[in-house]
Amino acid sequence: AIDWSRELATCKPDYYRWEQWLFTRLFEKGVIYKKMATVNWDPVDATVLANEQVIDGRGWRSGALVEKRDIPMYFFRITQYADELLSGLDKLPGWPERVKTMQANWIGKSVGVRLAFKIPPIPLHALQGTLSKGGESLLWVFTTRADTLMGVTFVAVAAEHPLATRAARDNPALAAFIAECKQGSVAEADMATMEKKGMDTGLKVAHPLTGEAIPVWVGNYVLMSYGEGAVMAVPAHDFRDFAFAEKYHLPKKEVFLDSEILRQAQILEDKSQGVFRVERGIEIGFLNAFNEAMAVYGDDLINVGFYFLEANRQNIESCKGSCINSGKYDGLSHEAAIDAIAADLAALNLGEKKTQFRLRDWGISRQRYWGCPIPIIHCDSCGDVPVPAEQLPVVLPEDVVPDGAGNPLNRRADFVNCNCPKCGAPARRETDTMDTFVESSWYYARYACPDFDGGMLDARANKWLPVDQYIGGIEHAILHLLYARFFHKLMRDEGLVTSDEPFVNLLTQGMVIADTFYRETPDGKKTWFNPADVELRDGVATCKSDGQPVIVGGTEKMSKSKNNGVDPQALIDLYGADTARLFTMFAAPPEQSLEWSDAGVEGAHRFLKRVWSFAYENHASFILLHDYRRKNPGKVFDWADARDEAKALGREIHLNLKQAQLDYSKKQFNTVVAACMKILNSLYRIPAPVPQGEFPDIGTFPREALKAEGFGILLRVLAPIAPHIAETLWNELGYSPALVEAGWPQVNESLLVQDEIELMLQVNGKLRGQIRVAATATREAIEAAALASEAAQKYLEGKPPKKVVVVPGRLVNIVV
RNA sequence: GCCGGGAUGGCGGAAUCGGUAGACGCAGCGGAUUCAAAAUCCGCCGCUGGUAACAGUGUGGGGGUUCGAGUCCCCCUCCCGGCACCA
């Protein structure tokens, strides 16, 4: 049921004013700060593009090559909560493991070493922004594999790195390459899949331990905004470095040997026909035998071994390897080498162990009109000043006409022009709005007190929170659910809530996916067609309205942008809500993704019609039975009165009730529906109703009582899924008390006990027959019965069995 | 590319702890009912061979562990979700 009195809309000022209020508090606290960040810039439309709007490196409307551009943005310091967001996952037993794993990997805590290569003297003004220690210019990198430091053959820096800028000053080719690096989208998926390119800066840095001159390259795959904006490269032991070194003919130095890998290689050689894949960063292909690998790689076998390890995706921690070609570190294990190298670097003041997170701070500035205005005023003398609480909310004007170029708020003088809250001088209001993820990060808390106008939340929030059961699509496993957890902790630290986590139990629905259909205009723009308007015949899709073909775009999650959403209203109109609900529940377990199709909805409807028919076919009997029971209060239904076939049907019904209970607890509703169907099938096998007038014949009492009891079970199991029909029939058939008060049906365990059971008989693991034994039979008795059986005799052919496996209650397996 | 999940008949899916693969339903085929159809009811329904009894085979592909593998281990392929500005 929905409590409409708690309805709220996040786009209304009475909601977002509190978001602005919290923003100003967090800004003053330093939890929110401003820094430069890279966005996708469409130079033709003069606007920032979302990653989704960059297709093959071009703007989706203009078709222009997208550029990376740095703009100032506000950030939530979520990294400050990284440790708590990670450890908090252990306190969420009601969350799916896969979601917790994804969040843990996303936060990505890793212990590594931050270390520095020395930069030889160059004009200091050219190195603006470079970290400096002890007066010497240093190039810092972070690595989780410090044990391979002796194998570094080059370092790669981002295109925006000060060293790259310095080197490009008198190197036009490098300047051109850096400009090229600035093209394309900022999306991680694009960065990771693009062709890795680089160029030598001509500069050299000194290896922190050996002093060896190491060339500095610019790499298009190194991000300035991530880590130190520079990475050390060990081509002998890293896929990506290997590929890069192969491409640009850079040296590789092996510094690690894994004896376990050599042992595995030996096993492969022995087997010889084993197929394994040799990965060397670049695709080399499949080799049919180890000997072939030997022929190709010869002395290079250690590399083969290493990449074989990578292909096995073994955790590096399980590496049994040790250092080679590493001077004083030779022979040290992975962990020992990291410790030793970190200690030596620390002694030189050139490095230290450091915990690093993959998680980055959350940038929330959006250059778009629609959204919650960021409550900041820019003053020439006071800087960025938060809007005082009494001036909130900063309301988004609603009479703006967007013209397609940038954020229309920029052109609203009445919005932009204001006075500095500190000094009163003329100032400019921030025109960026917030990421809408901010709104969705705390709405659940506002439901507790949607009408409170004295603050963000009142005491009712703690009465209701945390949320007992949260439901959302699996696509929110990381971003939304992590932001909401983060926001809850922010609100806790502001004293607004007392709990640590927002959602106790989480159900992540699988995606409902559907085909996409589109037409393309000559300039490459796509128009998307809804599956309901498309006819698919023999693999050819046509639009129903004009009969012209459309292109099949693949199966994807339902979305507004691809117009492939399917409205259940059509089903509700045709079959009613109960059928639509039952069918949806029956289609697949909720956590599994589902390719939408309404084939089969007839079956769900047919089942409910059968439920209805059963009720009316037996209506008179049920009324008479209830009446009989009222007149004979001492008479209770006793299974001892029932004949064997009735007992068997009763047993079926109770077994299915038990199954349904288990399935409900597992959130597997499709098999709950299946159990309901089985119960109804059992009920229909009970002999035909007694003609009116003959009842109550005491001999038919158990039969009619079984129907009434069984149907009562069915209605209660079905009620959460098809509530309307269940409630209606429950009342019509005179059950009492009301269905919602009737309680959950109890499984009659004694009915489930059987005297004799059937065991599967296997010979050598193959099913060869069945045997019937007493439920209490001993292992020896079962073994004897099995060996004496016809099937066993046939397959034993007089030979004695080698072994007999007895699994109580299940099977007997005779091994010959 | 990286992280998470998935793949079982013509289709959706079931199989609880490693123990009868295909429950339940859809579609299909055959029959009953009907003047006829719809609706309803009954039966059959993984694949191959066989009239049949039955035999072989079968859970994306390859290998392994086990008396026994859809289920556990290793490798591969494909599909779905996420990758920080779709939300």
Side-chain angles (χ1 to χ4, degrees):
Chain A
I2 296 169
D3 181 354
W4 291 105
S5 72
R6 293 172 183 278
E7 187 184 18
L8 58 85
T10 60
C11 58
K12 289 188 176 161
D14 62 358
Y15 179 84
Y16 69 65
R17 68 175 294 190
W18 300 113
E19 199 166 292
Q20 293 176 334
W21 170 82
L22 185 70
F23 184 101
T24 59
R25 303 262 310 189
L26 296 173
F27 184 77
E28 278 161 359
K29 225 169 144 181
V31 175
I32 292 174
Y33 66 99
K34 188 160 92 170
K35 71 169 180 183
M36 298 300 280
T38 317
V39 294
N40 304 307
W41 179 256
D42 184 323
V44 170
D45 280 352
T47 189
V48 175
L49 296 180
N51 284 332
E52 192 196 36
Q53 298 165 328
V54 182
I55 296 154
D56 299 328
R58 291 173 181 273
W60 68 345
R61 283 192 304 202
S62 69
L65 280 172
V66 167
E67 299 164 7
K68 297 187 183 77
R69 181 179 275 203
D70 282 348
I71 59 166
M73 301 216 307
Y74 290 92
F75 282 81
F76 277 82
R77 221 181 280 277
I78 190 171
T79 50
Q80 199 173 299
Y81 287 76
D83 258 317
E84 200 198 337
L85 288 166
L86 184 64
S87 61
L89 293 172
D90 294 335
K91 296 172 208 150
L92 294 171
W95 279 41
E97 277 313 312
R98 59 171 165 164
V99 174
K100 290 191 275 187
T101 306
M102 278 191 264
Q103 291 213 349
N105 290 341
W106 182 262
I107 295 166
K109 185 176 185 172
S110 61
V111 180
V113 175
R114 181 172 175 266
L115 58 94
F117 292 76
K118 290 183 194 169
I119 302 170
I122 48 176
L124 273 178
H125 69 269
L127 288 172
Q128 206 179 7
T130 306
L131 290 163
S132 200
K133 265 191 180 178
E136 226 168 341
S137 293
L138 299 171
L139 174 65
W140 288 92
V141 300
F142 176 84
T143 178
T144 54
R145 291 298 310 268
D147 56 321
T148 62
L149 180 59
M150 302 303 272
V152 170
T153 56
F154 66 98
V155 294
V157 300
E160 297 85 355
H161 196 281
L163 266 187
T165 313
R166 158 73 181 81
R169 283 205 309 184
D170 32 43
N171 185 341
L174 186 62
F177 176 70
I178 287 171
E180 190 194 322
C181 287
K182 288 179 181 168
Q183 275 182 2
S185 111
V186 298
E188 190 191 295
D190 293 334
M191 299 293 288
T193 49
M194 72 185 175
E195 190 190 352
K196 307 279 179 295
K197 286 186 188 172
M199 189 175 272
D200 194 352
T201 62
L203 299 174
K204 301 262 196 288
V205 290
H207 191 284
L209 297 178
T210 65
E212 190 187 343
I214 304 289
V216 178
W217 282 62
V218 175
N220 66 347
Y221 60 96
V222 185
L223 288 172
M224 193 59 213
S225 53
Y226 190 40
E228 306 287 345
V231 293
M232 67 177 222
V234 187
H237 301 293
D238 180 274
F239 267 111
R240 290 155 305 175
D241 295 347
F242 184 95
F244 196 87
E246 287 275 290
K247 184 169 181 177
Y248 294 107
H249 310 291
L250 292 160
K252 305 176 201 95
K253 188 181 164 198
E254 280 151 33
V255 291
F256 199 78
L257 173 66
D258 190 321
S259 50
E260 172 63 15
I261 288 305
L262 284 184
R263 198 184 66 78
Q264 286 189 17
Q266 195 61 53
I267 292 168
L268 277 173
E269 187 182 24
D270 293 345
K271 293 205 170 177
S272 199
Q273 73 264 56
V275 178
F276 68 96
R277 188 175 183 174
V278 179
E279 300 273 3
R280 304 192 65 187
I282 49 171
E283 183 75 15
I284 293 171
F286 290 87
L287 299 178
N288 289 332
F290 187 75
N291 287 337
E292 203 175 329
M294 282 290 283
V296 175
Y297 297 108
D299 294 337
D300 215 10
L301 190 59
I302 293 167
N303 258 342
V304 175
F306 182 78
Y307 291 104
F308 179 64
L309 169 79
E310 287 292 302
N312 273 305
R313 281 175 230 257
Q314 286 183 18
N315 194 336
I316 198 73
E317 271 73 42
S318 69
C319 252
K320 308 252 181 343
S322 52
C323 292
I324 57 169
N325 301 330
S326 302
K328 63 183 272 204
Y329 309 108
D330 278 359
L332 290 181
S333 71
H334 167 63
E335 296 92 344
I338 289 178
D339 289 345
I341 287 172
D344 288 350
L345 288 169
L348 293 165
N349 226 1
L350 288 175
E352 71 273 301
K353 276 203 172 180
K354 191 191 167 197
T355 301
Q356 171 132 322
F357 292 95
R358 208 188 76 94
L359 182 69
R360 311 200 293 262
D361 279 339
W362 175 18
I364 54 118
S365 295
R366 297 290 180 269
Q367 300 68 44
R368 303 208 185 109
Y369 161 68
W370 281 111
C372 168
I374 290 175
I376 290 285
I377 289 166
H378 304 290
C379 169
D380 287 338
S381 40
C382 305
D384 298 338
V385 182
V387 176
E390 62 274 14
Q391 290 179 26
L392 293 176
V394 178
V395 177
L396 188 71
E398 291 183 29
D399 54 349
V400 162
V401 182
D403 61 6
N407 183 348
L409 287 180
N410 288 324
R411 294 180 294 278
R412 282 289 293 247
D414 61 334
F415 182 83
V416 174
N417 296 330
C418 58
N419 292 315
C420 173
K422 270 192 188 161
C423 67
R428 285 159 294 110
R429 195 178 291 287
E430 172 67 51
T431 56
D432 280 1
T433 53
M434 287 190 219
D435 180 1
T436 50
F437 267 128
V438 181
E439 277 88 74
S440 59
S441 292
W442 68 283
Y443 73 98
Y444 64 88
R446 185 71 183 176
Y447 279 141
C449 47
D451 52 359
F452 182 49
D453 60 7
M456 192 171 187
L457 300 174
D458 67 21
R460 287 174 289 172
N462 283 324
K463 170 177 158 33
W464 291 100
L465 294 173
V467 175
D468 298 293
Q469 179 67 58
Y470 198 61
I471 304 172
I474 186 66
E475 76 270 32
H476 295 302
I478 295 172
L479 292 181
H480 164 62
L481 287 167
L482 190 65
Y483 291 147
R485 292 183 60 217
F486 169 55
F487 229 80
H488 200 81
K489 293 170 200 303
L490 292 179
M491 293 193 292
R492 177 200 62 195
D493 293 347
E494 282 298 313
L496 294 162
V497 294
T498 52
S499 41
D500 292 327
E501 292 283 345
F503 314 124
V504 177
N505 292 298
L506 174 69
L507 176 83
T508 44
Q509 291 171 269
M511 295 289 86
V512 181
I513 54 180
D515 285 335
T516 58
F517 303 97
Y518 66 91
R519 276 183 201 153
E520 213 163 2
T521 53
D523 57 340
K525 286 177 203 164
K526 286 175 179 173
T527 318
W528 298 90
F529 290 80
N530 192 276
D533 304 326
V534 172
E535 191 137 45
L536 202 53
R537 197 173 289 165
D538 306 325
V540 180
T542 48
C543 176
K544 280 180 187 168
S545 52
D546 61 14
Q548 295 301 302
V550 292
I551 301 164
V552 181
T555 317
E556 287 178 60
K557 77 166 171 172
M558 290 184 180
S559 69
K560 289 188 286 264
S561 57
K562 299 284 168 68
N563 190 18
N564 63 336
V566 177
D567 192 342
Q569 191 60 46
L571 282 190
I572 296 171
D573 292 344
L574 209 52
Y575 297 103
D578 276 343
T579 295
R581 291 169 64 115
L582 183 95
F583 170 63
T584 312
M585 290 293 99
F586 189 44
E591 304 207 87
Q592 187 174 315
S593 65
L594 170 74
E595 205 168 322
W596 181 261
S597 154
D598 54 19
V601 67
E602 280 289 348
H605 192 56
R606 206 172 288 156
F607 166 69
L608 290 181
K609 283 195 288 188
R610 265 160 55 85
V611 171
W612 188 267
S613 301
F614 185 87
Y616 280 90
E617 281 163 19
N618 292 282
H619 188 256
S621 297
F622 279 34
I623 297 300
L624 279 170
L625 182 72
H626 294 310
D627 187 48
Y628 178 80
R629 278 183 158 155
R630 266 191 299 278
K631 288 177 187 158
N632 303 274
K635 178 71 186 171
V636 288
F637 174 50
D638 184 353
W639 283 104
D641 294 347
R643 282 175 306 185
D644 282 351
E645 61 227 72
K647 228 174 183 171
L649 289 168
R651 189 167 169 270
E652 278 178 20
I653 290 167
H654 279 267
L655 271 177
N656 282 309
L657 168 60
K658 195 172 183 177
Q659 184 64 47
Q661 265 173 221
L662 177 73
D663 291 340
Y664 263 125
S665 74
K666 290 197 313 193
K667 300 170 185 168
Q668 189 174 294
F669 308 121
N670 56 331
T671 48
V672 171
V673 176
C676 289
M677 290 171 168
K678 288 183 204 175
I679 291 173
L680 187 65
N681 289 343
S682 300
L683 288 170
Y684 266 110
R685 288 206 303 277
I686 298 171
V690 178
Q692 235 175 332
E694 284 183 33
F695 199 85
D697 161 22
I698 198 68
T700 61
F701 178 79
R703 195 173 63 194
E704 298 308 303
L706 171 60
K707 276 185 193 169
E709 190 209 345
F711 201 64
I713 288 172
L714 172 61
L715 291 181
R716 279 176 287 173
V717 173
L718 189 60
I721 293 169
H724 309 97
I725 189 172
E727 178 91 32
T728 302
L729 293 181
W730 183 269
N731 294 335
E732 290 278 304
L733 294 176
Y735 286 100
S736 64
L739 193 146
V740 288
E741 286 158 15
W744 191 252
Q746 294 299 305
V747 177
N748 185 339
E749 291 288 349
S750 62
L751 192 56
L752 304 184
V753 177
Q754 283 179 296
D755 303 336
E756 209 177 39
I757 54 170
E758 191 169 70
L759 297 181
M760 295 307 113
L761 177 65
Q762 292 185 344
V763 179
N764 286 338
K766 275 188 196 286
L767 181 69
R768 295 300 183 189
Q770 290 88 25
I771 53 169
R772 291 194 70 85
V773 295
T776 54
T778 62
R779 191 170 282 264
E780 290 72 26
I782 292 169
E783 211 171 290
L787 288 170
S789 72
E790 212 176 296
Q793 294 300 320
K794 181 178 166 193
Y795 285 93
L796 278 172
E797 292 166 340
K799 285 173 276 182
K802 203 187 275 178
K803 186 178 174 185
V804 180
V805 181
V806 177
V807 183
R810 288 240 182 229
L811 58 75
V812 187
N813 186 16
I814 301 170
V815 187
V816 291

